[in-house]
């Protein structure tokens, strides 16, 4: 009698997944895992704004100049406390254009800076000094030449925009401030340069 009960218990607990269903489940799981790995490896999960800006663009070393010393863009403000920084394009890869950059000026602690008696502006100049694109801090847009491709032969000229004459009337003096280029569109993050 005991052996009959043991056999019936074994028969009752043998109900499991049939070999065919187990094979189908195993194949389905394998296909799903392979698809997830393919997506991760091929970069399909990488959406707009995920390319770090620093991989495509960097600043060169900044050099400061006053309105009387150089570029035409700075001279136009005609104020002796109007300062400009010349910022060569250090690197520009992958066909990056000016439309991929916005700008911000901050102090050493990262706080945004406001200038008195004027508004900063940026101009992109060719190797010959010709203006090829202009950026407005007021609208945070490129008002001229927004589709211009960046190259290492170009210079970004930052003008503090002082419109009043007299030493130190425009503040803060930009020395030690930081200019940030912020990624736009398919670029994220920022690169920075300390003004001199």
């Amino acid at each position: 009698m005991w052996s009959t009960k043991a056999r019936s218990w074994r028969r009752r607990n043998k109900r499991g997944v049939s070999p065919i269903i187990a094979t189908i489940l195993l194949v389905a799981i394998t296909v799903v895992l392979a698809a997830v790995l393919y997506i991760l490896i091929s970069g399909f999960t990488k959406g707009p704004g995920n390319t770090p800006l620093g991989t495509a663009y960097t600043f060169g070393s900044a050099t400061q100049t006053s309105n009387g010393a150089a570029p035409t863009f700075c001279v136009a403000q005609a104020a002796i406390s109007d300062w400009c920084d010349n910022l060569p394009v250090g690197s520009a890869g992958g066909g990056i254009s000016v439309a991929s950059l916005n700008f911000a000026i901050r102090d050493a602690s990262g706080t945004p800076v406001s200038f008195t008696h004027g508004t900063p502006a940026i101009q992109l100049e060719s190797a010959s000094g010709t203006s090829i694109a202009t950026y407005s801090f007021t609208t945070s847009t490129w008002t001229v030449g927004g589709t211009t491709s960046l190259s290492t032969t170009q210079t970004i000229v930052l003008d503090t925009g002082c419109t009043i004459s007299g030493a130190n009337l425009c503040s803060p003096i930009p020395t030690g401030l930081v200019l940030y280029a912020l990624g736009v569109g398919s670029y994220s993050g920022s690169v920075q340069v300390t003004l001199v």
Side-chain angles (χ1 to χ4, degrees), residues 8-195:
S8 70
W9 178 83
R10 277 193 217 121
R11 263 186 258 130
R12 229 178 328 160
N13 288 322
K14 275 200 164 183
R15 288 187 219 139
V17 178
S18 74
I20 294 172
I21 293 174
T23 303
I24 291 170
L25 285 172
L26 184 61
V27 169
I29 291 169
T30 304
V31 168
V32 168
L33 288 174
V36 169
L37 283 173
Y38 175 77
I39 288 169
L40 291 174
I41 291 168
S42 65
F44 284 174
T45 58
K46 191 178 197 181
N50 286 343
T51 303
L53 179 61
T55 63
Y57 175 78
T58 59
F59 287 110
S61 298
T63 57
Q64 191 182 72
T65 182
S66 62
N67 72 322
T72 303
F73 181 61
C74 194
V75 174
Q77 299 298 334
I80 62 171
S81 57
D82 181 32
W83 294 101
C84 287
D85 272 84
N86 297 329
L87 309 157
V89 174
S91 65
I96 188 170
S97 71
V98 295
S100 299
L101 304 178
N102 276 353
F103 295 94
I105 302 172
R106 299 177 182 153
D107 63 19
S109 64
T111 305
V113 171
S114 295
F115 287 86
T116 59
H117 303 294
T119 303
I122 282 179
Q123 183 160 293
L124 180 68
E125 294 186 353
S126 67
S128 65
T130 304
S131 173
I132 50 181
T134 304
Y135 179 85
S136 166
F137 278 89
T138 304
T139 61
S140 298
T141 59
W142 290 90
T143 56
V144 176
T147 58
T148 305
S149 293
L150 289 164
S151 85
T152 55
T153 62
Q154 300 163 340
T155 300
I156 288 177
V157 180
L158 167 68
D159 187 345
T160 57
C162 187
T163 56
I164 186 167
S165 291
N168 302 319
L169 288 179
C170 290
S171 63
I173 294 171
T175 303
L177 299 182
V178 180
L179 176 67
Y180 288 81
L182 311 168
V184 175
S186 61
Y187 295 96
S188 65
S190 63
V191 294
Q192 64 192 63
V193 62
T194 301
L195 305 178

